[in-house]
Amino acid sequence: MNPVLLEVRPVLETERLELRMPQPGDGRAVNAAIKASLSELKPWLGFAQNDPSVEDTETNTREAHAKFLTRESLRYLIFRKDTMEFVGSTGFHNIDWSVPKFEIGYWIDTRMSGYGYMVEAVGKLTDFALSELKGKRVEIRCESTNARSRAVPERLGYMLEGILRNEDLSVDGERLTDTCVYGKIKMDEVGS
């Protein structure tokens, strides 16, 4: 089946959060979060290497909206349900619909960290992938020295399947980095 024909919920909810597909106009809130978090995001994420304009971020969120519709990637913006404040972003990229398997990425507005929001959001996304999307595998990759990012899959019971040594360049291109690969699979299909 062509992935474009798959029904994928544009909104997911947890106890405290709403995760939804990016919409035109979201760029301003996302941009404010990036600006507030640049120093924490810069060591790990390519998009945080420069201070993006609101227009740049709006373009990016609209492109994410289009990719959601084509099922190329499925980004969800995270909002607090009680205030609708923007919390961060998560979603599936490097999707292989033939398996199907998904890789989850995420980042959080520094002002929202420390409340367990990202663990809650990624936990919901993991369950969604393995149940509704019929995923066979969900993966999280992060740099080995990024302790805060590593804490998310570890708290959610992902298995550290390996550390790929000298696997990538740091986002500034200055050094080689090691990549942790965490995975979670459907337990009823172990060994298949």
Side-chain angles (χ1 to χ4, degrees), residues 18-22 26 30 75-79 86 88-89:
E18 178 179 287
L19 287 68
R20 70 163 172 76
M21 171 178 74
D26 284 334
V30 176
R75 185 185 306 174
Y76 286 88
L77 301 182
I78 308 164
F79 297 89
F86 178 74
S89 179

Side-chain angles (χ1 to χ4, degrees), residues 16-17 87 108 112-122 155:
R16 301 181 295 165
L17 304 171
V87 172
I108 193 165
M112 296 288 180
S113 65
Y115 299 100
Y117 293 138
M118 196 52 70
V119 170
E120 187 173 328
V122 172
R155 286 187 58 195

Side-chain angles (χ1 to χ4, degrees), residues 2-17:
N2 185 327
V4 171
L5 299 175
L6 294 173
E7 291 297 325
V8 178
R9 287 198 284 154
V11 178
L12 305 172
E13 290 190 14
T14 69
E15 182 181 336
R16 301 181 295 165
L17 304 171

Side-chain angles (χ1 to χ4, degrees), residues 19-179:
L19 287 68
R20 70 163 172 76
M21 171 178 74
Q23 298 291 332
D26 284 334
R28 186 166 302 285
V30 176
N31 184 267
I34 292 170
K35 288 183 180 297
S37 308
L38 265 178
S39 62
E40 288 81 11
L41 299 176
K42 190 172 184 168
W44 317 112
L45 298 170
F47 72 81
Q49 296 310 293
N50 301 306
D51 189 357
S53 68
V54 172
E55 183 177 287
D56 292 338
T57 308
E58 179 65 24
T59 299
N60 181 274
T61 57
R62 288 180 186 222
E63 289 169 349
H65 176 89
K67 288 178 181 179
F68 195 105
L69 296 175
T70 62
R71 309 301 188 237
E72 183 181 337
S73 66
L74 302 171
R75 185 185 306 174
Y76 286 88
L77 301 182
I78 308 164
F79 297 89
R80 286 180 44 175
K81 281 168 57 173
D82 60 347
T83 64
M84 291 313 290
E85 290 175 273
F86 178 74
V87 172
S89 179
T90 188
F92 303 118
H93 55 275
N94 297 329
I95 299 171
D96 183 344
W97 289 107
S98 67
V99 173
K101 65 179 179 176
F102 307 90
E103 182 179 335
I104 297 179
Y106 45 87
W107 66 270
I108 193 165
D109 181 330
T110 301
R111 299 168 294 186
M112 296 288 180
S113 65
Y115 299 100
Y117 293 138
M118 196 52 70
V119 170
E120 187 173 328
V122 172
K124 178 65 175 184
L125 218 54
T126 301
D127 293 342
F128 178 62
L130 295 173
S131 60
E132 288 185 48
L133 297 180
K134 309 293 187 226
K136 306 300 182 206
R137 175 181 175 75
V138 182
E139 186 174 281
I140 295 174
R141 291 174 173 246
C142 55
E143 194 170 312
S144 65
T145 56
N146 189 342
R148 295 188 79 157
S149 187
R150 289 183 69 174
V152 173
E154 289 170 359
R155 286 187 58 195
L156 291 170
Y158 276 71
M159 179 183 291
L160 176 60
E161 296 178 334
I163 299 176
L164 307 176
R165 298 178 304 145
N166 289 347
E167 194 264 342
D168 204 358
L169 282 175
S170 58
V171 291
D172 61 10
E174 297 292 319
R175 60 185 167 75
L176 288 169
T177 63
D178 299 342
T179 301

Side-chain angles (χ1 to χ4, degrees), residues 129-131 134-137 184-190:
L130 295 173
S131 60
K134 309 293 187 226
K136 306 300 182 206
R137 175 181 175 75
K184 193 172 248 199
I185 60 173
K186 282 192 80 110
M187 291 312 294
D188 60 338
E189 298 182 18
V190 174

